[in-house]
Amino acid sequence: LFGVPGGGVNVIERVVKLFQQLDQVNPVTLSLGAVAIVLLVLGARRLPGKPVGLGVVVLSIVAVVVLGLAAQGVVVTGQIPSGLPEIGLPELRLREVEDIFPLAAGILLLAYIEGVSAARSFAEKHGYPLDTRQEFLGLGAANLFAGLGGGYPVAGGLSQSAVAEQAGSRTPLALVVASATLAACLLFLTGLLSNLPKAALAAIVLTAVAGLINIPEMIRLWRVNRVDFAAAMVALVAVLLLGILQGILLAALVSVLMMLVRAARPHVAFLGRIPGTAILGDRTRHPENAEIPGIVVFRPEASVVYVNAEAVEEAVAAHLAARPAGATTLVVCDLSASPHMDVSGTRMLRKLHAALAAQGIRLAVVGARGGRDPGGSGFGLC
């Protein structure tokens, strides 16, 4: 867009490089890009759903040819090889698989995350359901045929999808038309496309992606859930500073750690009778709920598993210790809010049962989920 070499690995280095090269800015290139941005913004407002980007591409090619902008330092795409790719199996030797696999795994992760993220953004924006498995299957099929043609890895890129939407695409048929048009261009129009200025392409991508930056959604996330907002900011900063793949991996790791931290300290509700009803509710959230004489009812509000079983036990022990001696004859564990309990959870219940029995207190369990675990061991509560 500025007509300078640029450089750098992350956003900070790229910004620093840009400022260092401002004295090298090509005014003709920058003017061409600025005019393209203005036309794209005005066209999106006054001609919604129309292929404004295509018109900008045509006008920029005409401007380069008629005004001789290439001779004035405007960088163009240059000669594009004509013809369709040849179909065939890649030449891959067994000893090369070990070197290729880590790179392929990274590409797979990045392609899936970027593709599904873009798909979810547009599904939410236009109000249609999303089948992530179908998206994954589509990416796999596309990469299979791209590999047979010796092409680059294929993914549902955010910028490409945004450009397609800005051009008026609404259904998968747009991809068929785009593919047919691309084939026609490779066969017959490569000579004309050699004069396409890269500044115009930069303007198209910038205006398309700018529409996907949702500041109000980030503000809403801050108000609704600070933990999710923190995870989103980690993802944003990590991608900008470390790159897409490393940033996404770090964000995924931080999200898992946040999930483990939240799971390790679940809320344990101690229940009381809601006035005028036979229903029990959390006394911490609603102090007006009446305590049942001689009975303590607690409800872990999460799956009771190895990361939080001790925390649940400690919360119950602390609550009982705060009560007068002999004031409790029955402790009831309500598992209605715990969809799963592993071996550590049941071990905690057995330990709690033994400790209460030594004090002459009975332990009862209600609301437990029955059934078999996915492994088919038959373990479960009933």
Side-chain angles (χ1 to χ4, degrees):
L1 187 67
F2 290 85
V4 296
V9 178
N10 55 52
V11 65
I12 295 179
E13 291 182 3
R14 292 181 179 182
V15 170
V16 171
K17 285 282 187 180
L18 178 60
F19 276 100
Q20 291 175 347
Q21 298 172 2
L22 285 180
D23 57 337
Q24 307 173 32
V25 169
N26 186 317
V28 180
T29 300
L30 184 58
S31 299
L32 179 63
V35 171
I37 290 176
V38 171
L39 292 177
L40 289 166
V41 173
L42 293 178
R45 293 180 179 178
R46 300 186 178 183
L47 300 172
K50 305 299 180 182
V52 178
L54 180 60
V56 170
V57 167
V58 173
L59 289 176
S60 63
I61 292 175
V62 171
V64 169
V65 174
V66 174
L67 302 178
L69 298 183
Q72 302 180 42
V74 175
V75 180
V76 295
T77 57
Q79 188 62 39
I80 301 174
S82 61
L84 299 177
E86 296 182 0
I87 304 298
L89 294 175
E91 295 181 1
L92 182 63
R93 290 169 292 188
L94 187 61
R95 64 173 180 267
E96 296 173 338
V97 174
E98 183 179 356
D99 296 330
I100 292 178
F101 184 81
L103 178 61
I107 292 175
L108 168 65
L109 177 65
L110 182 58
Y112 180 69
I113 292 178
E114 184 181 13
V116 171
S117 298
R120 282 178 176 163
S121 299
F122 290 107
E124 182 176 350
K125 182 178 181 179
H126 297 288
Y128 57 82
L130 175 66
D131 187 345
T132 55
R133 294 186 178 184
Q134 193 71 19
E135 293 287 328
F136 192 65
L137 179 62
L139 285 175
N143 278 286
L144 174 62
F145 287 101
L148 293 176
Y152 283 101
V154 180
L158 196 61
S159 58
Q160 299 96 317
S161 301
V163 170
E165 183 202 34
Q166 193 179 63
S169 301
R170 292 295 179 270
T171 70
L173 184 62
L175 297 176
V176 178
V177 176
S179 299
T181 305
L182 179 60
C185 290
L186 289 174
L187 290 173
F188 310 110
L189 301 177
T190 54
L192 292 176
L193 292 175
S194 63
N195 292 309
L196 174 61
K198 292 186 177 181
L201 294 177
I204 292 173
V205 173
L206 284 174
T207 54
V209 175
L212 299 176
I213 300 174
N214 196 339
I215 301 298
E217 178 63 20
M218 295 297 293
I219 296 175
R220 189 188 73 85
L221 201 59
W222 167 262
R223 293 174 177 173
V224 173
N225 193 315
R226 300 290 173 85
V227 176
D228 287 348
F229 175 81
M233 293 307 298
V234 168
L236 174 63
V237 175
V239 168
L240 291 178
L241 297 183
L242 303 178
I244 297 178
L245 180 57
Q246 295 87 345
I248 288 177
L249 290 176
L250 178 60
L253 177 61
V254 170
S255 298
V256 171
L257 292 177
M258 288 181 174
M259 182 179 64
L260 289 176
V261 170
R262 283 184 287 183
R265 306 299 300 181
H267 176 66
V268 179
F270 292 91
L271 309 182
R273 192 185 304 277
I274 299 176
T277 72
I279 302 174
L280 301 182
D282 187 357
R283 297 189 68 242
T284 303
R285 298 189 179 106
H286 300 280
E288 68 274 12
N289 294 342
E291 182 179 347
I292 305 174
I295 301 176
V296 171
V297 184
F298 71 93
R299 181 179 64 203
E301 297 187 343
S303 294
V304 184
V305 293
Y306 72 97
V307 297
N308 61 20
E310 290 186 0
V312 174
E313 182 183 5
E314 290 172 0
V316 175
H319 184 84
L320 293 175
R323 293 169 60 86
T328 306
T329 59
L330 173 65
V331 173
V332 180
C333 175
D334 180 6
L335 293 176
S336 60
S338 301
H340 176 70
M341 175 176 283
D342 67 1
V343 175
S344 297
T346 58
R347 186 180 296 116
M348 179 273 294
L349 285 181
R350 289 199 303 268
K351 183 179 177 182
L352 181 62
H353 174 268
L356 293 176
Q359 305 175 46
I361 303 173
R362 293 191 301 120
L363 173 67
V365 176
V366 299
R369 308 295 177 92
R372 298 174 64 89
D373 70 348
S377 64
F379 174 78
L381 291 173
C382 59

